[in-house]
Amino acid sequence: MIKITQPWQKRLEASDKPAYLLLADLIAEDIRTGRLTARDKLPTLRDLAAELRLNYTTVARGYAEARKRGLIDSRAGTGTFIRGTSPAVPLRGGGGAEMTMNLPPEPQDAGLLDRMKESAARVMADTDVYDLLRYQDFGGTVRDREAGMQWIRPRIPDCRLDQMLVCPGIHSVLAALFSQLARPGELICVEALTYPGVKAIATQLGVQLHALPLDEEGPMGESFEHACKTLKPKALYVNPTINNPTTATISRARREALADIALRYAIPIIEDDAYGLLPRQMPPTLASMAPDLTYYITGFSKTLGAGLRNAYVRSPSARQSQRLAGALRATTVMASPITNALSTLWVEDGTADAMLQAIRTESNVRQAMAQKHLGAYGMAAPSESFHLWLPLSSAWSMVEFASYLRTQNVGVVASAAFSTDGNPPEAVRICLGGPMSRDDCDQALRLIADTLAHPLHPHATVM
């Protein structure tokens, strides 16, 4: 620090400004110019007083002023450090780094974007526009359903046309299935940390959720079997691949155990595989293990974009597919024929697969950034995920951490939003996709890392 403090001494000697204020100014100036960076350690009060030929109280007041300005952080036993100085991250519309919505990243591939635009124009040019503006039978045309089977074939090799429905988004399918399988007051088993939309659907329908505790392989089979024996659940809901929020994937052995229990007790399975096509290699689906019980659901929200409200459902049988179609028709009428036509063309001509590959590649890049900044803090995420799960140390509670980051224009989601057992861990979900650029993402991750490294008065942001 001698090289840093030598210019300070000259400035202090030449200035009439109160030394404690000038000391804070000098720290701020050196941070702006890059002479001091996040995590740089400053001298102790006594050492700095000796180097600058100031009294101890003046230096203490200078450090206090620098802390007041958010420039430094002092912690007993570790010393005084330069606080993280990543600026609030400017994004489109003047907002901050919105890392709360789990959107896929948007690859900036000019050729791919042109291809998507050309395909969209071709849909309108080659189709009777009025046909797309009319009511259609629920579940999509034969061509739409064939495209759906083509899309899910890597995960569901055996699927018949009469088992396939094209629906307006996964969320609508879940609402229809919950209402169809469970009456108000009845129970559905779910993971202890699960997709928040399921909690909202259950609340709306008056359906009870029974949380299954998680271990490193997924929902615990013993707990599911005990629930089947004693509570008579009406279904099992799982998000088995790159779980939202934990990013965990249920192991093959655990999938087999859950499928076996469901078969023995005749419990329908709702397999929400929204992220199932992102990894290149995954365990077999529950639908392949218990085909006569499982509703397999996937869509384009996490592989193309949430605005393309198309989902594919493979039902256990033609009869159950018809029943589900009736429940969905009552609430959603039909999926948009226009988006159906676009999705179908993108599957047929390979555009959807090209976009999936680009999202995988972009996710790899962003996860590498996350590993660089947050790997030391126990973050969990596979490389092809575009969200991560970050456990917190005792210095922060999840609410304090999320609240503080919000004051820095970075939004993350506390684990309580995903908890179904009332006992959420101290952790947050951080999303890396959406309209954020790579630079924006990197800056936000650096700010999060700085906050973890140097927690500054965490209680101050909680009212």
Side-chain angles (χ1 to χ4, degrees):
M1 289 302 302
I2 298 298
K3 292 182 180 179
I4 291 290
T5 57
Q6 281 178 343
W8 292 1
Q9 184 175 345
K10 294 178 181 178
R11 294 277 297 276
L12 286 162
E13 291 172 350
S15 176
D16 294 329
K17 190 171 186 176
Y20 80 94
L21 290 177
L22 182 55
L23 179 56
D25 291 345
L26 292 169
I27 292 172
E29 182 179 311
D30 283 354
I31 291 172
R32 283 195 302 272
T33 61
R35 297 180 74 228
L36 287 173
T37 59
R39 304 186 185 91
D40 282 348
K41 189 172 183 178
L42 295 177
T44 66
L45 293 172
R46 293 190 185 283
D47 287 346
L48 188 58
E51 289 173 19
L52 298 179
R53 296 198 289 273
L54 296 172
N55 65 52
Y56 179 92
T57 302
T58 298
V59 175
R61 290 183 69 190
Y63 272 12
E65 177 66 21
R67 275 195 300 274
K68 181 180 176 182
R69 300 183 194 181
L71 302 174
I72 64 174
D73 179 26
S74 299
R75 302 182 70 185
T78 59
T80 301
F81 296 83
I82 296 300
R83 177 130 177 85
T85 56
S86 300
V89 185
L91 294 182
R92 300 177 189 179
E98 189 52 72
M99 306 174 91
T100 59
M101 293 299 291
N102 210 16
L103 301 168
E106 300 173 359
Q108 297 306 301
D109 181 330
L112 179 58
L113 290 169
D114 287 344
R115 178 177 178 177
M116 294 168 74
K117 292 176 183 178
E118 187 276 330
S119 293
R122 187 150 38 98
V123 165
M124 303 306 293
D126 295 349
T127 310
D128 183 337
V129 174
Y130 283 118
D131 189 43
L132 297 178
L133 296 177
R134 300 182 189 121
Y135 287 112
Q136 295 183 0
D137 288 340
F138 192 90
T141 65
V142 169
R143 181 182 173 190
D144 295 333
R145 285 182 285 144
E146 287 176 340
M149 291 193 299
Q150 178 181 336
W151 185 246
I152 69 171
R153 191 165 291 130
R155 303 294 286 137
I156 307 289
D158 299 319
C159 179
R160 301 189 310 272
L161 196 66
D162 60 8
Q163 293 175 287
M164 174 63 60
L165 292 174
V166 183
C167 307
I170 291 176
H171 193 89
S172 66
V173 179
L174 297 178
L177 281 171
F178 273 47
S179 67
Q180 182 179 319
L181 297 174
R183 296 176 181 174
E186 293 181 332
L187 182 144
I188 290 178
C189 289
V190 299
E191 292 145 304
L193 292 165
T194 195
Y195 167 50
V198 164
K199 297 172 63 177
I201 289 168
T203 299
Q204 184 70 22
L205 297 176
V207 171
Q208 301 298 309
L209 298 180
H210 177 70
L212 300 178
L214 301 166
D215 64 15
E216 64 278 3
E217 292 194 68
M220 296 176 67
E222 299 87 347
S223 298
F224 179 41
E225 182 153 20
H226 181 73
C228 291
K229 289 178 179 177
T230 61
L231 301 175
K232 311 298 182 187
K234 297 301 178 181
L236 167 66
Y237 167 84
V238 288
N239 175 207
T241 306
I242 310 183
N243 170 270
N244 179 13
T246 69
T247 76
T249 290
I250 300 176
S251 70
R252 176 173 186 148
R254 186 59 53 81
R255 292 177 190 226
E256 290 173 345
L258 294 171
D260 177 67
I261 295 165
L263 286 165
R264 285 192 280 113
Y265 290 92
I267 304 297
I269 300 171
I270 303 170
E271 185 173 9
D272 178 0
D273 214 19
Y275 305 86
L277 290 174
L278 289 171
R280 288 177 171 82
Q281 292 186 334
M282 291 308 303
T285 61
L286 280 89
S288 66
M289 299 173 180
D292 295 337
L293 287 175
T294 305
Y295 294 87
Y296 178 86
I297 313 166
T298 193
F300 291 116
S301 291
K302 309 305 180 186
T303 50
L304 285 173
L308 194 64
R309 304 305 301 159
N310 277 73
Y312 298 132
V313 186
R314 178 266 183 200
S315 298
S317 69
R319 177 175 171 275
Q320 287 162 309
S321 184
Q322 291 169 0
R323 288 188 63 217
L324 177 58
L328 277 159
R329 187 184 297 110
T331 55
T332 61
V333 182
M334 64 180 181
S336 165
I338 295 175
T339 56
N340 283 358
L342 182 57
S343 299
T344 293
L345 181 59
W346 278 352
V347 170
E348 291 174 342
D349 71 5
T351 300
D353 189 64
M355 187 63 170
L356 174 60
Q357 301 293 342
I359 287 172
R360 284 172 175 162
T361 300
E362 186 65 25
S363 297
N364 288 338
V365 172
R366 296 181 183 221
Q367 285 295 348
M369 293 177 185
Q371 188 63 41
K372 178 180 72 173
H373 294 299
L374 302 177
Y377 299 101
M379 61 157 274
S383 63
E384 290 156 333
S385 169
F386 43 80
H387 71 279
L388 63 89
W389 186 241
L390 182 66
L392 299 176
S393 71
S394 58
W396 292 99
S397 76
M398 58 181 167
V399 174
E400 290 170 339
F401 189 70
S403 297
Y404 178 78
L405 289 179
R406 179 60 67 182
T407 70
Q408 305 301 303
N409 288 335
V410 175
V412 301
V413 184
S415 61
F418 311 96
S419 175
T420 57
D421 65 0
N423 187 31
E426 295 295 344
V428 294
R429 187 194 71 180
I430 300 173
C431 302
L432 308 178
M436 274 195 307
S437 69
R438 290 183 183 180
D439 287 344
D440 293 330
C441 186
D442 189 67
Q443 288 183 40
L445 290 167
R446 185 181 295 114
L447 187 148
I448 293 169
D450 289 342
T451 302
L452 289 169
H454 305 295
L456 175 65
H457 308 303
H459 298 284
T461 61
V462 181
M463 304 299 290

